[in-house]
Amino acid sequence: MVEALVATAVAVGSAGIVYVMAAARVVKQYERGVVFRLGKLRGSVRGPGFTLILPFADRLHKVNMQIVTMPVPAQDGITRDNVTVRVDAVIYFKVVDPADAVIQVEDYRFAVSQMAQTSLRSIIGKSDLDDLLSNREKLNQGLELMIDSPAMGWGVQIDRVEIKDVSLPETMKRSMARQAEADRERRARVINADAELQASKKLAEAAGVMSQQPAALQLRLLQTVVAVAAEKNSTLVLPFPVELLRFLERAAPLPATEAPAAGAPVAEAPAPAVEAVEAEAPAPEAPGAQAHSELGIEGLPTEPPSIP
């Protein structure tokens, strides 16, 4: 009798141990448990720690509550201003309702990934290229709203969406580089012209001050000479003022001219005598004279000089 009781107790204890081992479950701190009994949601969500379920009747699904970082594959699209771009992004989300994440959608990770890709293509088509490059914060907010609206029904909350990179064609990169270079050159020319205008105004004011004080011009001249002489030059250029030349011209005495005496006859210049030269028959000429006559040189002797 005792042996039977002991055997029964051992059997019951073994069955209890097997039941506990089959029914015991451990839910981690960052997880939540959703229990289905015979295919139907059972009670509330199980929290972290040790919990028991009915073996062979209950099924426990663990849902991760941590923030998930999911990269969105690069998407090709055409912007509103007809530029082909390739954009990729990253999305941060977490599960806020474990029951809906298990019941409402088959695979919430895959669903969020597909929704992020379609939303990214849609936001590319609605935006200009300048917005994709410089106004990303606004696009991130719009993309987050587009993904978060359907995700709320899946028990998922979108924390943040960031556009990572915008790839442009090589031709567009070269065009943008030329545009930036032209804009910088334009600004440089405008700044240079503004500087010339300010300098001309200051030079005009300086000229007005120097015109009132002639000594200031001479001091400026000496200062320029000193500045030129400070360099390692072998030639010194010294400007000579034109006013000094005019001053010397006015200071030089004029030469006195002698006037003719009163009553003295004025001699007239004799008129040049015109001699008529009669043409004579040509005589044989020496070789030197012939050369002179061919050259048309007048006033030279036609006979060669005699050698003593």
Side-chain angles (χ1 to χ4, degrees):
M1 185 67 180
V2 176
E3 294 179 356
L5 292 176
V6 172
T8 304
V10 171
V12 171
S14 300
I17 294 174
V18 172
Y19 176 82
V20 170
M21 292 179 62
R25 295 290 185 275
V26 175
V27 180
K28 297 180 181 179
Q29 181 66 36
Y30 54 85
E31 294 177 340
R32 297 295 183 270
V34 179
V35 179
F36 290 91
R37 177 168 295 177
L38 300 177
K40 184 178 181 180
L41 181 64
R42 174 70 178 175
S44 60
V45 177
R46 304 290 178 90
F50 181 80
T51 184
L52 294 175
I53 61 174
L54 184 63
F56 309 108
D58 294 347
R59 186 178 296 274
L60 179 66
H61 289 272
K62 298 178 181 179
V63 180
N64 194 334
M65 304 296 290
Q66 292 176 319
I67 295 178
V68 180
T69 303
M70 177 181 296
V72 181
Q75 303 297 315
D76 294 327
I78 301 177
T79 60
R80 190 167 56 182
D81 50 355
N82 298 326
V83 179
T84 303
V85 294
R86 186 179 180 87
V87 183
D88 57 352
V90 60
I91 181 172
Y92 303 89
F93 66 94
K94 64 180 180 180
V95 176
V96 293
D97 192 344
D100 289 341
V102 175
I103 297 173
Q104 300 296 334
V105 62
E106 180 181 2
D107 187 354
Y108 65 90
R109 289 175 179 265
F110 182 75
V112 171
S113 176
Q114 295 300 313
M115 179 58 64
Q117 295 180 32
T118 55
S119 300
L120 183 58
R121 289 187 179 183
S122 178
I123 207 71
I124 290 174
K126 295 179 181 179
S127 305
D128 295 331
L129 179 61
D130 294 338
D131 294 335
L132 288 175
L133 297 177
S134 61
N135 197 11
R136 293 189 181 183
E137 191 66 28
K138 182 179 179 181
L139 297 180
N140 293 337
Q141 294 177 0
L143 189 60
E144 180 180 348
L145 291 176
M146 294 178 65
I147 302 174
D148 190 53
S149 298
M152 289 299 296
W154 306 334
V156 178
Q157 179 182 355
I158 306 300
D159 283 349
R160 192 173 184 84
V161 180
E162 292 286 345
I163 295 177
K164 290 174 33 178
D165 186 24
V166 179
S167 301
L168 301 175
E170 293 298 330
T171 56
M172 181 59 63
K173 291 180 180 180
R174 290 193 294 267
S175 300
M176 295 177 65
R178 290 196 299 268
Q179 179 183 0
E181 183 179 359
D183 184 64
R184 290 190 181 94
E185 185 176 357
R186 178 185 62 83
R187 286 184 292 178
R189 290 184 178 181
V190 170
I191 293 173
N192 190 16
D194 190 13
E196 292 290 341
L197 177 60
Q198 295 179 6
S200 62
K201 291 181 180 180
K202 295 298 181 181
L203 289 175
E205 294 178 2
V209 174
M210 289 183 179
S211 63
Q212 298 176 2
Q213 299 291 336
L217 183 60
Q218 300 298 327
L219 292 176
R220 179 59 182 166
L221 176 61
L222 294 176
Q223 184 179 2
T224 304
V225 172
V226 171
V228 173
E231 300 292 336
K232 296 180 180 180
N233 295 328
S234 59
T235 303
L236 177 61
V237 179
L238 182 61
F240 196 77
V242 181
E243 288 79 5
L244 184 58
L245 293 177
R246 293 176 181 174
F247 175 75
L248 294 177
E249 288 180 358
R250 289 194 299 267
L254 296 175
T257 58
E258 296 181 358
V266 179
E268 295 182 358
V274 180
E275 295 180 0
V277 179
E278 295 180 358
E280 297 180 356
E285 298 177 349
Q290 184 178 0
H292 286 297
S293 61
E294 289 177 358
L295 294 174
I297 302 176
E298 298 180 355
L300 296 178
T302 58
E303 297 181 358
S306 61
I307 300 174

